[in-house]
Amino acid sequence: MESRNMEEGNLIDQTSSWRKNSKRLWFQNVSNNLSHVLFSNKISLLFPAVPLAILADYYHFSRPWIFAFSLIGLAPLAERVSFLTEQIAYFTGPTVGGLLNATCGNATELIIAMFALYRNKIHLLKYSLLGSILSNMLLVLGSSLLCGGLANLKREQRYDRKQADVNSMLLLLGLLCHMLPLLFKYAPIGSFTFSSSLVLSRSSAIVMILAYLSYIFFQLKTHRKLFEEKENDEDEEDEHAVIGFWSAFTWLVVMTAIIALLSEYVVGTIEAASDSWGISISFISIILLPIVGNAAEHAGSVIFAYKNKLDICLGVCLGSATQISMFVVPLCVIVGWIVHVKMDLTFSILETGCLALTIIIVTFTLQDGTSHYLKGLILLLCYIVISACFFVQKSPLNHMFVVYRVITCNKITGDDWSDPAHRRLTVLFASVLSLSFV
């Protein structure tokens, strides 16, 4: 009887001890997740802006304050989404991980674009996506090459041109699809209508998505060594996941939901912020929003360039720009087609010219397979000039929408698009496009 009581007592002790250990392990796991997800990066200091934005909206603060808090709060969220997709990639393998990174790498830009499309703010959508492409190719790549060149003054920085050439070809194809509706609008032969531009844009969007899917298959299947060989050869550290798969997946869902909420605040309050601050919507959308959305790419790319890992750096910058140009933009056209929103690929002359010259400059910059700090400085100076251009453009969003309708619909204006000045513009853009392909 006594032995039985002793066994029961030992069993109770073991059960209580197991419960204490399980609680201790659970608290350790939670604290480990919180420390790695929320407190492992200096940009996490901006996280208080997230609850401030929610409280500002709940208590009906002025709309510029809501916009400012939302814009600041998106920066750490975008960086953490990139971190979480990397953690999941350790468990899913390179193929699924690559697709996940392709989907979530530009989650902020994609969510903002979808909310803008839902609210029928077409120009805000175009501005933000164009700004993301320019930011990745000039600001992120330029600052990376500048920092990498200064940190490796006594070493020659080299990279594999094959990866850069593939991305350049896709960007040039995207440029062709963006320029054709504009060239078609100014063509002296035939009459231009907005419906014909929509048909051309939707056809081009399908081609662009097919090209991007082919690129994903090319990158992850048939020619994976072309994109991974340098990375594997230069990898000096045995990296591993710091949090579990389901923890990373849960955090990813939560972060994406918060990004969606803040993106809705940004889209709904950007006009009020523009009027209050006296800054054009084009500058806010093309310059400020992409800087926030590309925070993760910017930080990671600079670190890789500092470590003289230019192949990974170029993969981050050009890969993100290619994804926006060849996937996100045409996806918005297709989604707009489905929900009966007239989203097309027609950008203004200023926007298309900036995009074309940016792709040409970056293509020429990367043609020799070597890098130094002067190349990065030139790209940064180009970005500063473009930023100044959109800063002095003071057209509000509602005025831009009216101008857009006037330009893209002959029935409203009755203008003759066969004017000699328009023909000269057509010849100019055709020459720029031909030069870029050469």
Side-chain angles (χ1 to χ4, degrees):
M1 190 70 178
E2 293 180 358
S3 61
R4 184 176 180 181
N5 291 334
M6 291 179 60
E7 290 178 359
E8 290 178 355
N10 293 332
L11 183 61
I12 293 173
D13 292 338
Q14 291 177 0
T15 303
S16 61
S17 176
W18 178 82
R19 289 177 179 177
K20 291 180 181 179
N21 291 332
S22 62
K23 289 181 180 180
R24 189 183 302 111
L25 291 175
W26 185 82
F27 281 115
Q28 289 178 354
N29 188 31
V30 171
S31 62
N32 179 61
N33 287 339
L34 289 175
S35 62
H36 283 101
V37 175
L38 299 181
F39 308 109
S40 63
N41 199 299
K42 292 182 179 179
I43 201 173
S44 300
L45 296 174
L46 300 178
F47 266 123
V50 176
L52 287 176
I54 298 174
L55 291 175
D57 178 71
Y58 182 79
Y59 288 105
H60 305 289
F61 281 26
S62 62
R63 299 173 74 81
W65 281 105
I66 300 175
F67 177 83
F69 287 137
S70 301
L71 192 66
I72 296 173
L74 283 173
L77 290 172
E79 193 277 333
R80 290 292 86 185
V81 165
S82 178
F83 165 78
L84 292 170
T85 54
E86 292 176 359
Q87 296 301 307
I88 294 176
Y90 287 118
F91 299 94
T92 60
T95 302
V96 178
L99 291 174
L100 186 62
N101 281 321
T103 305
C104 299
N106 291 301
T108 305
E109 293 90 337
L110 181 59
I111 294 173
I112 290 177
M114 289 303 167
F115 275 110
L117 187 66
Y118 173 75
R119 291 174 177 260
N120 204 20
K121 296 183 178 181
I122 304 300
H123 266 81
L124 174 59
L125 188 158
K126 293 181 178 180
Y127 280 153
S128 62
L129 296 183
L130 172 66
S132 182
I133 298 173
L134 299 179
S135 175
N136 277 293
M137 299 188 68
L138 294 179
L139 177 62
V140 180
L141 181 59
S143 58
S144 300
L145 296 183
L146 176 61
C147 295
L150 293 176
N152 299 273
L153 283 174
K154 298 182 180 180
R155 300 166 60 185
E156 183 180 23
Q157 289 192 292
R158 303 188 66 86
Y159 54 86
D160 190 359
R161 283 185 53 193
K162 298 176 183 178
Q163 179 181 354
D165 290 342
V166 171
N167 285 281
S168 297
M169 286 190 298
L170 285 170
L171 288 170
L172 289 172
L173 174 60
L175 175 61
L176 173 65
C177 295
H178 287 298
M179 290 184 67
L180 282 179
L182 183 66
L183 297 175
F184 180 55
K185 179 170 63 179
Y186 290 116
I189 301 176
S191 59
F192 172 80
T193 61
F194 186 63
S195 60
S196 59
S197 174
L198 275 178
V199 173
L200 178 59
S201 298
R202 290 165 178 172
S203 303
S204 300
I206 295 174
V207 173
M208 294 167 75
I209 290 180
L210 290 176
Y212 184 76
L213 294 177
S214 302
Y215 164 70
I216 293 296
F217 184 78
F218 178 85
Q219 180 183 14
L220 299 180
K221 284 292 184 181
T222 60
H223 289 70
R224 198 166 77 184
K225 290 184 178 180
L226 182 67
F227 295 86
E228 291 186 347
E229 184 175 3
K230 289 290 182 179
E231 179 179 351
N232 292 335
D233 291 343
E234 297 179 358
D235 193 14
E236 299 175 356
E237 299 179 358
D238 185 17
E239 299 180 350
H240 59 278
V242 295
I243 60 176
F245 172 81
W246 289 110
S247 297
F249 182 79
T250 303
W251 278 109
L252 182 62
V253 172
V254 173
M255 294 286 184
T256 305
I258 299 175
I259 287 176
L261 178 63
L262 297 188
S263 299
E264 186 177 9
Y265 292 162
V266 167
V267 173
T269 59
I270 188 171
E271 296 96 335
S274 176
D275 295 337
S276 176
W277 299 343
I279 302 176
S280 64
I281 288 182
S282 59
F283 181 81
I284 295 176
S285 304
I286 295 178
I287 305 302
L288 296 184
L289 285 182
I291 290 177
V292 172
N294 294 328
E297 288 91 345
H298 201 162
S301 179
V302 170
I303 292 173
F304 286 130
Y306 183 84
K307 295 179 179 179
N308 201 21
K309 298 182 178 182
L310 287 188
D311 289 288
I312 307 177
C313 172
L314 293 178
V316 171
C317 301
L318 297 182
S320 182
T322 302
Q323 183 185 88
I324 294 292
S325 177
M326 297 298 295
F327 179 71
V328 178
V329 174
L331 179 64
C332 292
V333 175
I334 300 299
V335 173
W337 187 7
I338 295 173
V339 299
H340 305 291
V341 176
K342 295 181 179 180
M343 164 69 185
D344 64 353
L345 294 175
T346 305
F347 289 77
S348 70
I349 296 177
L350 175 61
E351 298 155 11
T352 308
C354 290
L355 178 62
L357 293 175
T358 295
I359 295 176
I360 294 172
I361 291 171
V362 173
T363 301
F364 275 105
T365 301
L366 302 177
Q367 65 178 344
D368 62 347
T370 62
S371 176
H372 45 75
Y373 71 90
L374 183 59
K375 289 186 176 182
L377 179 62
I378 296 300
L379 294 181
L380 278 178
L381 294 178
C382 291
Y383 189 75
I384 292 174
V385 172
I386 292 176
S387 301
C389 176
F390 287 107
F391 181 79
V392 300
Q393 186 184 19
K394 295 295 183 180
S395 299
L397 187 62
N398 53 359
H399 173 69
M400 290 299 297
F401 180 74
V402 173
V403 171
Y404 175 73
R405 293 296 297 172
V406 169
I407 289 177
T408 56
C409 188
N410 289 346
K411 295 180 181 180
I412 298 178
T413 61
D415 289 341
D416 183 12
W417 296 111
S418 62
D419 182 78
H422 295 154
R423 288 201 298 269
R424 287 195 293 271
L425 285 172
T426 304
V427 173
L428 173 63
F429 275 103
S431 302
V432 170
L433 184 63
S434 301
L435 176 63
S436 64
F437 274 104
V438 171

